Every structure is written in structure tokens, then in C-alpha cells.
Amino acid sequence: MPSLLALAAALGWVSGFRLYAVVFLVGATGAAGWGTLPGGLQVLQHPMVLAVSGALLFIEFFADKIPGLDSLWDLANSVIRVPAGAALAAGVFGADSATLALVAALMGGTLAASSQAAKTTTRAAINTSPEPLSNIAASLFEDGLVIAALWLATQHPVVFGILLAITVVLMWIVTWVLFKFLRAAFRRLRTLFSSASA
């Protein structure tokens, strides 16, 4: 049970960062025989799901590293990341228990929303800098984070659960601070443009 809960939490949480990487990596793991997927996630092994998620992962990998385009990509994909995170988390228990699947869906959706909000506000703040290297570094960190979180959740579920709880609290704090920063920056821009047009 701890390992299944950790997997559900990981799938929901990292979906807020890199949904297509999650779908592709989990599906490829099952298809290659590197691990047995829970019944509700076995659809991710289907060749068509792997092809589509792989193509979207390829696009996202590059789109996420271009300042400005990354924020547009995040906004466009925010509509799907949260419900997909909930669905993936529910899939861990979907074939065995409707109650646990519902609990996992609520947890996965909440974690996906938290990571999506942290990613969006952090990237918007990074994009205020004119140099592209910080944006590329943040994107590569998120790429690695997906792999590390999925590995840790399957190999050391209790450690993952503790680290996730700490990380989520830190993400909420960062999101709140950066949101205030971005709101102040937008206010300054609005004042600058209104005084320039007067």
C-alpha cells in the first residue's frame, strides 16, 4: 500500500511539471518489461499512447526551454495537467478499488495543481530576466525531477512521501512569494505604460 500511494502521489505531482514525460516514461517502463504497471495504468503501454505521448514529450522538451514560449505552453497545458494528474493517480488503484481510486484522484489532482502553480509562477519570474540560460537550467531541472521522483516513489516510497510533503509546503511558499513579486512587476509595467501614454 505505501508503494502504491507513493506512486499515485508521484504521478499526480510530476504531471504538473511534465505530463507527457510521465505518460511516456511510465508506459515505456511497462512496455519494456522493466516493471509491472497496475491494471489501471496498463493502457499507457499501448503503442498508440506511447507514440502520441512521445511526440508531445519531444515538442514539450524544446518548447519548455524557450523563454516566453514556455509560459504560453504552460498556460495551454494547464487545462489538461491537473485532470490528467488526477486520472493517472486514480489509475494506480482504478482496477482494484473505486474508493481508493477516488482518494488517489483527489490527491493527484491537488498535487498536480500545486506543482503546476509553482512551475507557472517560477517560470514567469525567470522570464523577467533577459538571458535564456536560467530558463534552460530550470527546464532541465524539471526534466530530471520527473525521472528522480518516479524512481524514488517506486524504490523508496516512504522517503519519497516525506520529501514530497516538505517540497509541497516549500512550493506553496515560493508560489505565494513569486505571485506577489509578479503582481508588483505587472503593476509597475502598467504604471509605466500609462504614464508614457499620458
Side-chain angles (χ1 to χ4, degrees), residues 19-94:
L19 171 62
Y20 308 118
V22 173
V23 172
F24 181 79
L25 289 172
V26 173
T29 298
W34 296 331
T36 304
L37 300 182
L41 295 178
Q42 289 181 0
V43 67
L44 303 181
Q45 301 175 155
H46 192 280
M48 187 176 293
V49 175
L50 287 171
V52 171
S53 62
L56 289 169
L57 168 59
F58 180 80
I59 294 167
E60 182 173 59
F61 181 82
F62 293 102
D64 197 63
K65 288 163 181 64
I66 301 171
L69 181 58
D70 67 328
S71 293
L72 290 174
W73 182 265
D74 282 342
L75 288 174
N77 284 279
S78 63
V79 177
I80 191 170
R81 284 181 181 156
V82 174
L88 287 170
V92 173
F93 298 101

Side-chain angles (χ1 to χ4, degrees), residues 93-125:
F93 298 101
D96 301 323
S97 169
T99 302
L100 286 175
L102 179 59
V103 170
L106 293 171
M107 176 184 64
T110 301
L111 289 170
S114 297
S115 56
Q116 167 71 23
K119 174 188 169 79
T120 302
T121 53
T122 304
R123 285 309 190 81

